[in-house]
Amino acid sequence: MRSLRTGLSLTSLLTALAALLLAAPSAHAADPPLRDLATAKNKAIGTAVTGSKLTGTYGEIAGREFNWLTPGNAMKWGSVEPTRGNYNWTEADQIVDFAEAHNQDVRGHTLVWHSQNPSWLDNGTWTPAQLSQLMNDHIALEVGRYKGRLAAWDVVNEPFNEDGTYRRTLWYNGLGADYIAQALTAARAADPAAKLYINDYNVEGVNAKSTALYNLVRDLKTRGVPIDGVGLQAHLILGQVPSTLQQNIQRFADLGVDVAITELDIRMQLPATAAKLAQQRTEYDAVVKACVAVTRCTGVTVWGFTDSDSWIPDTFPGEGAATPYDENYAPKPAYHGIATGLGGTGTTPPPSTNGCAASYSVANQWNTGFTGNVTISCAAGSSLPSWRVAWTFGAGQQVGQAWNANCAQTGTAVSCSNASWNGSVPSGGSVTFGFNGTWSGSNPVPTVTLG
């Protein structure tokens, strides 16, 4: 290597060295939000959302951490046209508006499916010509409504059985296998710029079902049918992440289409233990890394980011804890697995709370109501870039309006996080937030945890 230019004083050299050290990132520096990590890898990190919940802590996390949103139910046929000719776009519009306000893309879900259709459609008696027209009209209407505002659509959802044969559905039985090509063609006509996907589950590894999907996509490409990508839902079970996941992503990419992991969750038998949560973290990390490793894998969407919003417990009794956040909106080890999969350190959130603590007090109390205050304070030499506190009420109290914090309550559990203006707690300093609440019988002071 070349030698340093002569003539620099010792003081100058030491000053330059100090500047370099200060500019170098700390080994324990806080990770940025997931969306920033994903953007640095040219990937998407998304979540399915419920439009009515996009406020408070739920909305704050959805906006901060993700750069893609998928409506969990709001764009399905049964939601938007529950009775023939009568439409409800309220929640779908709410999600699209939220995404645009937070510089996020939206994945439309889903246009043609065998499930969650309106009863008038499922129970009707249709000729092939009528069924074909119904499908074309629905796609033209819904995709056309959001033309230019949605980045991608799951056009056809779950067309295959586990053995790779076509699922016998309203569409297959009435129109044959080419209903898929018809739906894709109609979607392209309605919005030429949106990316068009076929989406299915249990196709994450190389197996009979994923091979059937592979053969279908290859055939569609050969025929010139518009198909831009495949969605691998990835509703996975702890300990059963396919070893051929990256290989499978790559073989679809080699067909000249994009691949997205569209509905990721990793469920476990309850109760969740530290060992299970640690394994779940490792498996989230592995899934994300498999996508990052393939250029045409566009990104990963989790199917709801909080356990309180997950479909798993209702569908698989005794199973759950499948998402990156717990029911109180606290990040789980799985969150850190996503972060490391995207190239982060996995150290935050939450930041280290060493030297910092939270205290709870009742400032005022009357009949059935009270005002509570929580103070987060840091000793000299400690500080926080952001904070989140949680507690469990012991006597049925309920949090009402909060100020200087975003608070949510599920059952007896309460979780509050900083507002946009008061996340930083300086060395030797403190911040306080308050709320109004209700009580009946007694109002004991709970123990607050800072994390």
Side-chain angles (χ1 to χ4, degrees), residues 113-114 117 121-122 124 126 131 168-175:
W113 191 23
H114 65 273
N117 288 320
L121 177 63
D122 276 341
W126 314 107
L131 193 60
R168 266 54 181 175
T169 67
L170 170 72
W171 308 109
Y172 182 87
N173 293 341
L175 301 175

Side-chain angles (χ1 to χ4, degrees), residues 163-340:
D163 63 359
T165 58
Y166 282 101
R167 188 190 294 269
R168 266 54 181 175
T169 67
L170 170 72
W171 308 109
Y172 182 87
N173 293 341
L175 301 175
D178 242 19
Y179 82 89
I180 297 171
Q182 180 182 337
L184 290 162
T185 301
R188 176 66 87 233
D191 187 351
K195 299 292 186 180
L196 309 181
Y197 280 71
I198 301 172
N199 191 53
D200 215 328
Y201 65 92
N202 287 352
V203 292
E204 296 76 32
V206 176
N207 56 35
K209 191 174 187 180
S210 66
T211 297
L213 178 58
Y214 176 90
N215 290 335
L216 169 63
V217 172
R218 183 175 59 186
D219 176 65
L220 293 171
K221 292 280 289 182
T222 300
R223 294 164 54 193
V225 175
I227 173 71
D228 299 306
V230 296
L232 314 181
Q233 290 185 13
H235 293 298
L236 303 175
I237 301 171
L238 191 69
Q240 298 184 29
V241 176
S243 60
T244 53
L245 174 60
Q246 184 177 328
Q247 173 190 344
N248 194 42
I249 294 172
Q250 186 65 61
R251 71 165 175 163
F252 278 105
D254 291 343
L255 288 176
V257 296
D258 292 336
V259 182
I261 295 173
T262 54
E263 304 181 22
L264 175 63
D265 46 34
I266 303 178
R267 65 186 186 267
M268 65 182 70
Q269 287 290 331
L270 298 174
T273 65
K276 290 177 185 177
L277 292 172
Q279 181 179 355
Q280 186 186 53
R281 170 181 177 152
T282 299
E283 293 182 359
Y284 264 97
D285 172 90
V287 171
V288 173
K289 282 179 177 172
C291 177
V292 169
V294 180
T295 301
R296 292 204 69 152
C297 186
T298 61
V300 175
T301 289
V302 294
W303 202 245
F305 61 83
T306 169
D307 289 341
S308 64
D309 203 38
S310 175
W311 68 294
I312 296 295
D314 291 338
T315 306
F316 300 98
E319 300 181 62
T323 76
Y325 284 78
D326 70 15
E327 293 183 350
N328 297 318
Y329 301 112
K332 293 156 53 181
Y335 174 96
H336 306 299
I338 297 173
T340 54

